[in-house]
Amino acid sequence: MDEILFMCGDKKRAVIATLNIVGLNTEGFAKNEIIAKALEGLTIETGSDLQKILRIDTYTSETIALQKFHTALPVFQSRMGALLFLISALLSRGLDSIQADRDDPSLPLVTAPFGHASQEIVNLLLCGQAVPNVFDGRMDFGGGMFLKGISMSVEVGFLTLLESLNFCKVGQHLKCPKWPIWVVGSESHYTVLFALDTSVQDENKLEERESQIRRAFDAQDQSGGGGFISVEGFHQVLREAGIRLPSEKLDHLCSTGFIVWSEFWQVILDLDKSQGGLKDSSGLMGKKVFDLYHFNGIAKSDINGSHATSGAETLVQRPRLTKLKVSVPPRWTPEEFMADVVVSSGPGGNESSGKDTEVTKPEPSQHAPLVDCIRTRWSRAVCNWVGDPPSIV
């Protein structure tokens, strides 16, 4: 919490909003009783009502601010906690800076009637700026019109079900954070996906090449993540990525006046590495297998945690943590991988294949909406888990 507020305050300051409660500095269990009594029957109907109970403190030392958080932690654990931390983040950034970050300052930061956080709030807590979009940098439409996205690397990332539905495009800053931790957005609320091993984000040479080509393409994409660019922009992509297309393929891609990513990508997959493509006759793409964990803090009926009562099972309502085994096939599409598998030749078998790396078929993939989110980060991911499917709602 301390680090987030100082990030919002450009590493210079943090503003902490707590409640103006007498006895808040009391130690031990008495503090919780004091806060509970102060909040009992408290109603806030206007901004004026809120201002009467707020206490605002500004800190320039992270150490001193951290001590304040330790003292006021029960306040942030109360029913007012989320609102107080949001106010703290907004004030740490500065209200003028908040409005300048946004594309449309007239829209509400919290949407009615259910109090859902806008993307500006999510981005504020992830990168310290209340920008409204999830792509990298900003999208320039000319004539002084542009949309603002994530301008810097972040420590905690973001994935969303909306990308799998083609409603948005999450950029590399949020997809590849410093730590393998992602906030996952769904239609209703946010959950968390994380790994215990930072190497899950490491890329092999061909994945690095894929990322390089995609970054070059996205830099020319002025469609708001729509996945198409102009012919002029396309020639810039080819120069930056060192791709040499045969004239007939180049003419075909440029024939309509714009280039669609999906068509360009198919050409790249069929283009030999020597020409800047990704076709590799060896087929040794480096299969990746790793574990991810998903936490949903909203209580769900958990069959695995059910108790037997008089011969009947009673479902337990509790937050759920799910471990997922993720396998990324070595081929660039699952279909291609399954169609061309290197089978181990047993004793007396034919060993003349010339391939010294053994590849086995992945387990059949289980599916849940979370898998769609994971595939926006690892497009060919095959996911498996034990027990109930992970829920993002």
Side-chain angles (χ1 to χ4, degrees):
M1 295 167 72
D2 194 37
E3 290 174 356
I4 288 174
L5 294 190
F6 270 94
M7 177 180 62
C8 294
D10 291 328
K11 305 295 184 182
K12 298 175 182 177
R13 67 166 192 168
V15 179
I16 300 180
T18 56
L19 298 177
N20 192 15
I21 297 175
V22 177
L24 185 59
N25 293 325
T26 305
E27 296 296 331
F29 294 106
K31 183 191 297 186
N32 294 335
E33 295 176 2
I34 291 172
I35 293 171
K37 187 172 182 180
L39 293 180
E40 185 178 347
L42 176 66
T43 58
I44 301 173
E45 297 181 354
T46 66
S48 178
D49 291 341
L50 180 61
Q51 289 181 4
K52 290 177 182 177
I53 63 169
L54 280 182
R55 174 176 174 174
I56 307 297
D57 297 295
T58 302
Y59 299 89
T60 56
S61 165
E62 290 193 41
T63 302
I64 297 176
L66 187 59
Q67 293 173 353
K68 174 65 176 180
F69 270 120
H70 280 297
T71 301
L73 193 57
V75 176
F76 288 101
Q77 293 173 324
S78 73
R79 63 184 176 89
M80 290 284 291
L83 178 61
L84 291 172
F85 190 71
L86 172 58
I87 293 172
S88 300
L90 295 173
L91 295 179
S92 296
R93 177 65 177 158
L95 299 185
D96 291 339
S97 296
I98 292 288
Q99 294 296 75
D101 289 339
R102 308 173 69 199
D103 289 339
D104 186 351
S106 66
L107 295 176
L109 286 171
V110 178
T111 58
F114 302 113
H116 287 163
S118 64
Q119 192 63 46
E120 287 102 324
I121 289 177
V122 177
N123 289 345
L124 176 65
L125 300 180
L126 292 178
C127 76
Q129 298 178 356
V131 292
N133 301 294
V134 292
F135 50 72
D136 291 343
R138 69 180 191 176
M139 200 74 65
D140 192 345
F141 291 96
M145 180 181 178
F146 54 85
L147 299 177
K148 301 165 194 161
I150 308 297
S151 62
M152 68 199 75
S153 299
V154 297
E155 295 202 2
V156 174
F158 179 76
L159 302 175
T160 174
L161 186 64
L162 293 178
E163 181 172 6
S164 69
L165 300 173
N166 294 318
F167 284 111
C168 68
K169 174 65 179 176
V170 179
Q172 292 301 302
H173 287 322
L174 290 176
K175 278 186 179 172
C176 303
K178 178 180 179 181
W179 306 110
I181 308 169
W182 296 267
V183 174
V184 179
S186 71
E187 307 98 319
S188 57
H189 77 290
Y190 299 97
T191 55
V192 179
L193 183 74
F194 64 95
L196 303 180
D197 186 352
T198 58
S199 67
V200 302
Q201 301 226 79
D202 293 346
E203 295 183 325
N204 60 38
K205 290 183 178 179
L206 286 176
E207 286 176 321
E208 291 175 358
R209 180 63 176 154
E210 177 186 5
S211 297
Q212 179 191 13
I213 296 172
R214 184 76 214 211
R215 282 195 299 270
F217 189 95
D218 287 346
Q220 301 297 325
D221 186 352
Q222 300 299 315
S223 65
F228 58 89
I229 60 177
S230 66
V231 172
E232 180 182 354
F234 182 54
H235 284 288
Q236 179 66 25
V237 171
L238 298 181
R239 287 192 293 270
E240 288 184 8
I243 298 171
R244 299 183 302 280
L245 288 179
S247 57
E248 64 275 10
K249 291 187 177 181
L250 181 61
D251 293 341
H252 173 71
L253 285 172
C254 297
S255 61
T256 60
F258 59 87
I259 290 80
V260 180
W261 166 258
S262 58
E263 295 179 0
F264 174 48
W265 185 240
Q266 287 302 314
V267 171
I268 294 298
L269 290 176
D270 294 331
L271 187 68
D272 194 82
K273 289 200 303 181
S274 62
Q275 296 176 291
L278 293 172
K279 189 173 183 178
D280 179 17
S281 58
S282 71
L284 306 179
M285 299 288 190
K287 177 181 177 181
K288 297 172 66 174
V289 178
F290 52 89
D291 293 330
L292 293 177
Y293 297 83
H294 179 255
F295 179 72
N296 188 343
I298 291 184
K300 295 289 181 181
S301 297
D302 192 342
I303 297 175
N304 296 326
S306 60
H307 297 300
T309 305
S310 302
E313 286 190 342
T314 302
L315 294 179
V316 176
Q317 295 282 334
R318 65 180 185 185
R320 185 183 301 166
L321 178 67
T322 304
K323 179 180 179 180
L324 300 97
K325 178 73 71 175
V326 181
S327 173
V328 182
R331 290 287 189 176
W332 287 104
T333 65
E335 294 79 9
E336 183 182 10
F337 173 62
M338 295 297 288
D340 184 17
V341 176
V342 180
V343 181
S344 173
S345 55
N350 183 3
E351 299 182 6
S352 61
S353 67
K355 294 184 180 180
D356 57 2
T357 300
E358 180 180 312
V359 181
T360 57
K361 288 187 179 183
E363 298 178 46
S365 179
Q366 294 172 273
H367 187 264
L370 176 64
V371 176
D372 294 328
C373 297
I374 292 173
R375 285 177 178 166
T376 65
R377 173 61 180 85
W378 293 277
S379 59
R380 302 169 304 282
V382 175
C383 300
N384 297 93
W385 56 84
V386 176
D388 299 325
S391 172
I392 59 175
V393 297

